Amino acid sequence: MDIFESKNIKPMLISEMTEPFNNPDWIYELKLDGIRCVAYLDRHTMETELRNKRNLRLLPKVPELTDICLNIKERCILDGELVILKNGVPDFFELQRRVLTSNPFKIQISSDKYPASFVAYDILYLKDRELIDLPLLERKAILSDTVIETPRLAVSRYIPEKGIELFEVAKSKNLEGVIAKKNDSRYYF
């Protein structure tokens, strides 16, 4: 069955924590303090579906992201992080409070005050084709070419080789940390 239609992908999780390191065969990204999420987006059918690692639907909790499907060039599946920024920094408490709210009126007030964003780390599917076996850097290039960035939909930036330096920056800004990924890794779900 087509993985877009089945909508049953669990995001690839961090495998282990290590001390920061530099390596030319790796890239490094900031770890955002949010909720890992898989986005199923189709601009032609106006479909936006956001699911967490337990495959629960999150769009009712973040209705301001309904139209992010318009900011992609083709039907795709993105792996990323759902975040709410306060003063330019991810605020997990505000996001958690929103996700635990069931009252649609309170959700709308919260989404007006502190709108959520989806930050894409990876692309797993494009048009009608799985991309999980492509090397990471090739998927990153396809991701950047597929997403039309807005304040509600962004692509995570990365730096090659300099993991220690990025970790020091993250630490100085009180951010959650850094994720290291091998340049040629494939995606497992």
Side-chain angles (χ1 to χ4, degrees), residues 78-145:
L78 306 178
D79 172 355
E81 195 91 4
L82 195 57
V83 295
I84 289 179
L85 300 179
K86 273 180 146 176
N87 302 316
V89 178
D91 187 320
F92 184 73
F93 172 75
E94 192 64 44
L95 180 61
Q96 187 177 39
R97 192 166 70 158
R98 171 91 70 87
V99 170
L100 294 174
T101 301
S102 57
N103 181 310
F105 180 71
K106 288 181 179 179
I107 289 171
Q108 189 59 53
I109 289 172
S110 181
S111 69
D112 290 342
K113 187 172 183 179
Y114 299 115
S117 298
F118 182 84
V119 180
Y121 294 130
D122 209 336
I123 186 166
L124 315 179
Y125 178 96
L126 183 64
K127 256 188 206 172
D128 296 310
R129 183 175 149 226
E130 289 185 31
L131 305 177
I132 59 174
D133 289 325
L134 295 177
L136 175 62
L137 289 183
E138 194 172 331
R139 294 194 316 273
K140 289 277 195 188
I142 294 168
L143 173 64
S144 292
D145 188 53

Side-chain angles (χ1 to χ4, degrees), residues 1-139:
M1 177 179 245
D2 181 86
I3 64 171
F4 189 93
E5 299 303 326
S6 68
K7 292 183 179 50
N8 196 25
I9 294 173
K10 294 188 181 359
M12 192 164 95
L13 301 176
I14 298 168
S15 62
E16 63 181 293
M17 294 182 71
T18 65
E19 289 297 314
F21 63 95
N22 288 343
N23 188 315
D25 297 328
W26 293 68
I27 63 166
Y28 305 89
E29 294 176 280
L30 291 175
K31 183 174 184 328
L32 302 175
D33 201 3
I35 295 173
R36 284 296 296 282
C37 187
V38 175
Y40 301 85
L41 306 172
D42 189 336
R43 72 176 297 122
H44 304 295
T45 62
M46 301 284 293
E47 178 182 1
T48 297
E49 181 72 56
L50 303 173
R51 299 200 181 195
N52 69 7
K53 62 186 176 186
R54 292 186 308 249
N55 209 31
L56 298 175
R57 293 179 173 175
L58 294 176
L59 194 59
K61 306 295 185 172
V62 289
E64 65 271 32
L65 299 183
T66 299
D67 292 337
I68 64 172
C69 62
L70 301 176
N71 299 103
I72 47 117
K73 294 178 181 174
E74 293 288 342
R75 180 167 93 148
C76 61
I77 301 172
L78 306 178
D79 172 355
E81 195 91 4
L82 195 57
V83 295
I84 289 179
L85 300 179
K86 273 180 146 176
N87 302 316
V89 178
D91 187 320
F92 184 73
F93 172 75
E94 192 64 44
L95 180 61
Q96 187 177 39
R97 192 166 70 158
R98 171 91 70 87
V99 170
L100 294 174
T101 301
S102 57
N103 181 310
F105 180 71
K106 288 181 179 179
I107 289 171
Q108 189 59 53
I109 289 172
S110 181
S111 69
D112 290 342
K113 187 172 183 179
Y114 299 115
S117 298
F118 182 84
V119 180
Y121 294 130
D122 209 336
I123 186 166
L124 315 179
Y125 178 96
L126 183 64
K127 256 188 206 172
D128 296 310
R129 183 175 149 226
E130 289 185 31
L131 305 177
I132 59 174
D133 289 325
L134 295 177
L136 175 62
L137 289 183
E138 194 172 331
R139 294 194 316 273

